[in-house]
Amino acid sequence: MYGHVEGLARRMKKGVDGVDGVEGLLFRVPETLPIEVLEQMKAPPKPDDIPEISAAELTTADGILFGFPTRYGCMAAQMKAFFDSTGQLWKEQQLAGKPAGFFVSTGTQGGGQETTAWTAITQLAHHGMLFVPIGYTFGAGMFKMDSIRGGSPYGAGVFAGDGTRQPSETELAIAEHQGKYMAAVVKRLAQA
């Protein structure tokens, strides 16, 4: 809504694209809020260079990184509505075996960076998808405490505060790492 997840996604794509033979594509899920509400919330327009995705398009991906803001410790309603639209894919098990991961944006440090991922894992489990967390593969960067930063072993994250704080370089670096890590996993699975 305010570009925090988009910022992580763009940097994550850089990591994906940095793995030879792998290409990342950016999509956004359909907005569920009316334009009048978005205007009152002072949400900027959606980026023209990131198209909306349909549930059926998920089947063409070799791996998926889902990014979304947190609402009360869970994924935002827009993302939940998108997952709810995947019922036919679930029925046919079209996504079974695909690797997937998450990255999030929360307003505060206690806002649900980890619980958002935990509660989202149920979506993957029902589809038979493979959850790919980053763990502590970012190394010493996962232990940096010299500045406020989002992210966890479950995936990259940003603390948005009141909406004006943009991702820090450390948060973006974790996102880029997650993209590269996921791309390497996807590539290994595709070669198996």
Side-chain angles (χ1 to χ4, degrees):
M1 185 174 299
Y2 297 104
H4 297 89
V5 171
E6 177 188 341
L8 293 178
R10 288 185 187 277
R11 188 68 175 265
M12 200 166 283
K13 180 182 179 348
K14 181 178 177 184
V16 170
D17 293 346
V19 174
D20 189 44
V22 182
E23 179 187 14
L25 302 173
L26 297 179
F27 293 96
R28 59 185 168 86
V29 300
E31 179 60 69
T32 58
L33 294 173
I35 190 72
E36 303 81 35
V37 173
L38 292 170
E39 287 171 354
Q40 288 178 0
M41 295 174 75
K42 296 180 179 29
K46 304 294 182 207
D48 291 334
D49 64 331
I50 303 178
E52 272 190 10
I53 191 169
S54 68
E57 289 173 284
L58 292 175
T59 63
T60 65
D62 293 320
I64 305 165
L65 288 165
F66 295 103
F68 37 83
T70 299
R71 297 295 181 265
Y72 305 109
C74 299
M75 69 178 67
Q78 293 89 333
M79 194 68 208
K80 182 64 171 92
F82 180 74
F83 272 116
D84 287 349
S85 76
T86 64
Q88 190 63 34
L89 299 178
W90 164 79
K91 182 179 178 186
E92 298 169 5
Q93 286 297 284
Q94 293 278 323
L95 302 178
K98 284 190 189 285
F102 304 119
F103 58 103
V104 302
S105 170
T106 60
T108 65
Q109 290 179 345
Q113 295 250 325
E114 290 185 343
T115 60
T116 301
W118 292 338
T119 58
I121 289 171
T122 61
Q123 311 300 312
L124 304 185
H126 282 260
H127 278 287
M129 298 177 85
L130 308 173
F131 177 51
V132 181
I134 60 170
Y136 285 86
T137 60
F138 191 59
M142 291 297 285
F143 298 95
K144 283 187 86 167
M145 303 274 289
D146 58 341
S147 64
I148 295 173
R149 70 151 182 88
S152 74
Y154 298 92
V158 59
F159 292 126
D162 64 0
T164 59
R165 182 184 182 274
Q166 292 302 308
S168 70
E169 183 51 40
T170 301
E171 290 166 330
L172 292 170
I174 293 172
E176 185 173 340
H177 169 76
Q178 184 174 3
K180 184 179 259 185
Y181 183 79
M182 177 61 125
V185 169
V186 169
K187 186 174 180 177
R188 281 196 308 270
L189 287 173
Q191 293 171 345

